[in-house]
């Protein structure tokens, strides 16, 4: 079947409405997923370029959109065209609008035709929809084995198709938890008190509309969590940890019970071991022995190579049985990473770009992944990795166990959770509001831009022998400048930003970790995930653009029960952040300089005036 084209529609015409105008979703498309997709598309901006119209049978709209919008994302990714499904219908056809170049139109049409062509067609192996869209895996009608009509209808029910495919895989075992008698004996009141005392842990099945199964009670000791796993207990003892951190208290019983979980916790909270120790038990508990399994059983996706390397380090430090891991990240030696994958690993820790790359090349086999972790999901979204994540995640077994961690709970993370977790239990430590670590003294210096350098070097001159400081700058150029100044003054410093070679970045981290360097100058690339011991001070040389980043930077000190100090240089240019900063400081019972209140008030009143008289422009920070 071919489709009708109408050439050269006016670009960005006001008639072009976002996907929210789709009025009749395909009944096969589950409402939740459809809404999910709809929301995503509504947020997207209109694509530039020419516009083409394409009519497709309305019955295929659901197929084109796919689960949670995954098919249309893939179509857009592969063709380079933006695709909008409109509400316009005509005689059982629906209008699609394509934006892009002539080449992207050609590719998009071809791909859409492949999905919607009304002819007999069947698939080999594991052609889930994402594989179908990779045209190389589509079997053409000539190659297909003819099938009877009712079965053909079944073929187009992708959920059925997937179910059938995955049914050939071994059952996933997820339940390994046995409640310790002391935990079983806890009353509801005890549980409430324990959660309150442990940084006010709050647990909830956030995405379920009805009351789901009971949420496992928290544990108070390592023994209560791992009484059946003496090797884990002995490793914890070796690490000289006293007791589980708040997130661990609650995450271990949840994850060992086989539930999906969303951990809202900062780095430094012990979240890595919260998801890793149950992962070890999960790997060993599967029916197919490790040796006979193709590809990893556990995938951890992390936003930055530093965080990925750190997770890998934590796995290797634990050295549990023969479980091995491999870290795949951009900037690392690709050949070596491929060789490691080929040699057989249980856990892969990946950054999204390299994960896609090795998935496309066939070096990363994902079909035996039964435990998936999306670490720092909010950060991955901030860094624009959503499309890359979706491509790979679509091919992972749908009934796997999934863990997401995030420092915050914005709508983007919620959307990911809806797509990739099943009735997850959210565990958050502290409140969901942005709260900066209470173990950190937060000092705000209000000054002029030109005074920063002197203030900074005065501070450095007064550093004690045991002090270690991370200094955050807003740009790579500023980072380089300060770094050179430190070198000229023969200060023990290192610097890190995204333009640095991977080996230099790793060396900088090694230097600050082992104390060769006492000053690490960094852009935000280092603000999250890095677990550097004994950082006594954080200096916000440039105040961050958003308050979440401030909280993450502050969290680089005051870790693992120690206290720390954060010093922020706040200039008139930063006045838009004054209000949010005041909230954080007040919540943490910190001193708030009067000038900060003044700046906040002035900014608010300026904003109000601007709303009343929108034509009057103003310069950021011009009158504080
Ligand atoms: P994370 O939040 O995962 O980055 O962990 C921060 C640091 O805390 C890591 O060095 C962990 O090894 C350490 N850690 C994890 N669990 C505990 C615990 N129960 N007690 C003390 N330190 C821990």
């Amino acid at each position: 079947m071919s489709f009708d084209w109408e050439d050269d529609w006016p670009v960005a015409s006001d008639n072009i409405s976002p996907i929210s105008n789709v009025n009749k979703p395909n009944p096969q498309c589950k409402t939740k997923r459809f809404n999910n997709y709809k929301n995503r598309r509504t947020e997207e901006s209109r694509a530039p370029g020419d516009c083409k119209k394409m009519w497709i049978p309305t019955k295929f709209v659901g197929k084109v959109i796919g689960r949670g919008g995954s098919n249309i994302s893939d179509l857009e990714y592969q063709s380079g065209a933006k695709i909008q499904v409109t509400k316009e219908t005509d005689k059982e056809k629906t209008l699609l609008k394509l934006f892009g170049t002539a080449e992207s139109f050609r590719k998009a049409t071809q791909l859409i035709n492949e999905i919607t062509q009304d002819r007999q067609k069947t698939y080999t192996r594991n052609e889930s929809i994402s594989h179908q869209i990779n045209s190389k895996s589509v079997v053409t009608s000539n190659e297909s084995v003819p099938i009877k009509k009712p079965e053909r209808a079944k073929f187009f029910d992708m959920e059925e198709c997937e179910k059938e495919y995955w049914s050939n895989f071994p059952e996933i075992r997820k339940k390994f938890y046995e409640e310790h008698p002391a935990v079983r004996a806890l009353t509801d009141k005890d549980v409430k008190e324990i959660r309150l005392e442990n940084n006010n842990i709050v647990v909830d099945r956030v995405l379920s509309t009805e009351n789901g199964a009971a949420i496992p009670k928290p544990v108070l000791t390592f023994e209560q969590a791992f009484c059946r796993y003496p090797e884990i207990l002995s490793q914890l003892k070796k690490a000289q940890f006293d007791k589980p951190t708040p997130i661990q208290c609650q995450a271990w019983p949840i994850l060992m019970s086989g539930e999906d979980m969303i951990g809202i916790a900062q780095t430094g909270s012990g979240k890595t071991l919260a998801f890793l120790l149950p992962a070890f038990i999960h790997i060993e508990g599967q029916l197919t022995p490790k040796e006979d399994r193709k590809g990893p059983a556990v995938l951890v996706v992390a936003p930055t190579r530093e965080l990925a390397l750190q997770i890998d380090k934590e796995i290797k430090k634990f050295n549990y049985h023969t479980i091995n891991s491999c870290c795949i990240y951009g900037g690392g030696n690709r050949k070596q990473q491929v060789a490691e994958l080929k040699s057989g690993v249980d856990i892969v820790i990946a950054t999204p770009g390299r994960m896609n790359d090795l998935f496309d090349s066939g070096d990363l086999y994902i079909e035996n992944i039964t435990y998936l972790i999306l670490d720092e999901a909010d950060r991955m979204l901030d860094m624009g990795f959503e499309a890359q994540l979706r491509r790979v995640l679509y091919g992972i077994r749908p009934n796997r166990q999934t863990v997401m961690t995030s420092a915050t709970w914005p709508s983007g993370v919620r959307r990911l959770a809806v797509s990739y977790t099943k009735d997850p239990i959210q565990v958050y430590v502290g409140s969901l509001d942005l709260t900066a670590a209470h173990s950190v003294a937060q000092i705000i210096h209000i000054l002029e831009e030109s005074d920063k350098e002197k203030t900074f070097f005065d501070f450095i001159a007064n550093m004690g022998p045991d002090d270690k400081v991370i200094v955050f700058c807003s740009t790579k150029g500023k980072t380089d400048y300060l770094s050179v100044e430190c070198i000229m003054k023969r200060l023990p410093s290192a610097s890190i930003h995204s333009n640095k070679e991977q080996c230099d970045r790793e060396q900088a981290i090694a230097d600050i970790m082992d104390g060769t360097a006492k000053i690490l100058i960094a852009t935000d690339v280092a603000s999250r995930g890095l677990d550097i011991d004994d950082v006594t001070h954080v200096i916000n040389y440039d105040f961050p653009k958003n308050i979440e980043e401030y909280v993450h930077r502050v969290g680089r000190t005051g870790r693992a029960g120690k206290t720390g100090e954060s010093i922020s240089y706040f200039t008139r240019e930063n006045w838009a952040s004054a209000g949010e900063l005041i909230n954080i400081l007040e919540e943490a019972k910190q001193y708030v300089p009067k000038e900060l209140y003044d700046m906040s008030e002035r900014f608010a009143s300026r904003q109000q005036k601007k709303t009343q008289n929108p034509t009057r422009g103003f310069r950021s920070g011009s009158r504080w």
Side-chain angles (χ1 to χ4, degrees), residues 270-296:
K271 69 182 169 64
T272 314
L273 284 186
F275 61 69
L276 275 185
L277 299 186
F280 293 159
I281 294 168
H282 176 99
I283 293 170
E284 299 240 302
Q286 296 312 303
L287 292 171
T288 317
K290 269 156 38 76
E291 316 72 69
D292 301 341
R293 200 165 40 220
K294 184 180 173 194

Side-chain angles (χ1 to χ4, degrees), residues 222 241 243-245 248 267-273 314 317 531:
F222 295 128
F241 296 157
K243 61 182 178 92
T245 64
Q248 292 166 354
T267 32
S269 59
K271 69 182 169 64
T272 314
L273 284 186
E314 199 84 340
K317 197 164 78 186
D531 177 28

